[in-house]
Amino acid sequence: MTDLVSPAGTGAGAPLPQAVLRACGALRRALPALLVYAGVRALGIAVLAVWGYGTGKSPHQLLSARWDSIWYARIAEQGYGYTLHLPGGKVHADLAFFPLLPWLERGLSAVFPLSAGDAGLVVSAVSSLLAAWAVFLIGERLYGRRAGVALVALWAALPVGIVQSMAYSESLFTALAAWSLYAVLTGRWVWAGAFAALAGLTRPVGAAVVLAVWLGVLAALRRGKEEEPRRGGRPEPRKPARMLLGAVLAPLGWLAYFAWVGVRTGGPTGYLDVQGGWGNGFDGGLAFGSFVAQRLFGPAFAAGLGLLVGVGLVLWLYAACVRQRQPLPLLGYAGAVLLLALTAKGYFGSKPRLMMPAFPLLLPLAVAAARARPVRAVLTVSTVVLVSAVYGAFWLNGSGPP
């Protein structure tokens, strides 16, 4: 990772002390953003603890031992092979969950006196800080330091930001995706491919990171062809080879798990069949559209209207990203995350969580906050943070999984 934080144009062969100094410099620049992030998440956990005191629910259990957290912990402790048959024909198999988080939980539990669930909390805590670091670096590189800090604060204060503190895989995935994107933006192609491969072992949406790497390679090759006449036709040494290696590495994690599940289930569509047993899949958004329509034209009109406004806001943010002329890899990544989330059927309460890794959507808001007067920006973001903390506690104390 030290190579990632070196200035553009610095090679991987820099002496270790210089590389360490560059890493420390990047960390010092990011420190305000990391402190802001830690403060936002600490407030969210504190509100959850107070809420739990009033309802009699354990905040620790809510964060480490409910819903998907239980499935990850079971895989970490016993390996794959558990299947739950439910009334109505649904078959919940643990093969639906990608392996990197349970591998890390198992490793930490073997070294430290931690349960798998508590190991998952440690992974999420560390991963979320690493994610915030990379998110800051991306915002800083594109729009300046204040925008980078604002971007981190907004990502931490998402309405479903409490998931970043749960034993779920979102924080781990976002960290790997964000570092891969930063590597793409800085031309570190092997790092970009390696992080994308790890993201592909974390969540199905790892395909969006692969797309970002490939788009980055295509954009770089196109720029190189346009610049060749000005360089006298001299290609940059070894860069095409690094680009190719990064592009080849990127999908390996995602493909490997799909192939392994296919072998285990006895068919090339094994993973899709497993997801189908959970009632998940892709139908172009028909099921989600029907879900919203039923509420708009039924007694739950307010809920339907809220869902419609929420989807409209997300699409408006993406359009703002396009108008902002964000780099193509960011647009491709965020667009793919949105497309996969909005066109999937299944438990619709999880859609806000599924869109959480699409942090580039927040860049227009971060730039606006950075350009606003400091007092106004701080008051606005603080209000969002407080509302997010309260909503997160309310949401996590609900009856359905986030």
Side-chain angles (χ1 to χ4, degrees):
M1 190 177 296
T2 54
D3 184 43
L4 288 182
V5 296
S6 61
T10 301
L16 181 59
Q18 292 183 21
V20 172
L21 286 174
R22 285 193 294 270
C24 291
L27 184 57
R28 280 196 300 269
R29 293 201 314 274
L31 188 58
L34 296 181
L35 291 174
V36 167
Y37 178 83
V40 173
R41 294 284 12 104
L43 176 63
I45 295 173
V47 172
L48 178 65
V50 172
W51 196 295
Y53 180 80
T55 60
K57 293 184 178 180
S58 165
H60 177 262
Q61 182 180 6
L62 291 175
L63 293 172
S64 67
R66 288 189 75 185
W67 306 304
D68 291 6
S69 302
I70 297 176
W71 287 88
Y72 284 120
R74 183 183 288 115
I75 296 168
E77 294 167 348
Q78 304 173 16
Y80 284 100
Y82 181 79
T83 301
L84 183 64
H85 295 269
L86 299 177
K90 285 189 177 183
V91 180
H92 290 183
D94 57 10
L95 292 171
F97 298 91
F98 277 53
L100 187 56
L101 176 58
W103 285 348
L104 293 174
E105 289 179 343
R106 181 182 300 176
L108 282 175
S109 298
V111 176
F112 300 102
L114 295 171
S115 67
D118 287 341
L121 292 181
V122 172
V123 172
S124 288
V126 174
S127 297
S128 64
L129 286 171
L130 291 173
W133 186 7
V135 167
F136 165 78
L137 289 174
I138 290 172
E140 179 196 42
R141 182 176 183 85
L142 295 177
Y143 302 109
R145 190 178 186 188
R146 289 182 63 184
V149 175
L151 181 62
V152 168
L154 291 171
W155 183 66
L158 286 172
V160 294
I162 190 66
V163 174
Q164 298 165 17
S165 301
M166 296 178 67
Y168 271 39
S169 61
E170 271 73 14
S171 290
L172 178 61
F173 174 80
T174 305
L176 294 168
W179 278 108
S180 181
L181 289 169
Y182 182 68
V184 168
L185 294 179
T186 55
R188 272 66 177 186
W189 302 108
V190 178
W191 280 108
F195 281 124
L198 291 173
L201 285 171
T202 308
R203 296 191 62 80
V205 75
V209 191
V210 178
L211 175 63
V213 174
W214 287 354
L215 289 174
V217 168
L218 290 175
L221 290 174
R222 182 178 178 182
R223 286 195 306 270
K225 287 184 178 180
E226 292 174 350
E227 293 172 1
E228 266 188 15
R230 286 174 286 181
R231 295 197 305 259
R234 295 190 303 274
E236 295 184 19
R238 295 188 298 166
K239 266 206 169 183
R242 292 178 185 176
M243 291 180 186
L244 178 60
L245 180 55
V248 170
L249 284 173
L252 293 185
W254 190 83
L255 290 175
Y257 188 67
F258 265 70
W260 182 78
V261 174
V263 171
R264 179 123 177 183
T265 58
T269 61
Y271 185 78
L272 299 178
D273 297 336
V274 169
Q275 286 285 5
W278 282 77
N280 298 328
F282 297 96
D283 62 359
L286 293 177
F288 183 50
S290 175
F291 179 80
V292 175
Q294 288 174 8
R295 277 144 187 81
L296 282 174
F297 298 102
F301 172 78
L305 184 60
L307 287 171
L308 199 60
V309 170
V311 172
L313 175 61
V314 168
L315 295 177
W316 176 82
L317 283 173
Y318 187 74
C321 292
V322 174
R323 292 193 300 270
Q324 201 176 33
R325 300 195 177 191
Q326 289 183 16
L328 185 60
L330 294 188
L331 292 175
Y333 167 75
V337 172
L338 287 186
L339 182 66
L340 292 172
L342 293 177
T343 61
K345 58 182 179 179
Y347 180 70
F348 299 115
S350 296
K351 287 195 179 293
R353 171 172 64 88
L354 298 179
M355 290 186 282
M356 189 181 69
F359 64 88
L361 293 176
L362 301 171
L363 273 168
L365 301 178
V367 171
R371 292 174 179 172
R373 293 181 178 179
V375 173
R376 182 178 181 182
V378 169
L379 288 176
T380 301
V381 174
S382 298
T383 302
V384 172
V385 167
L386 183 58
V387 171
S388 170
V390 173
Y391 179 77
F394 165 77
W395 185 56
L396 203 53
N397 276 273
S399 58

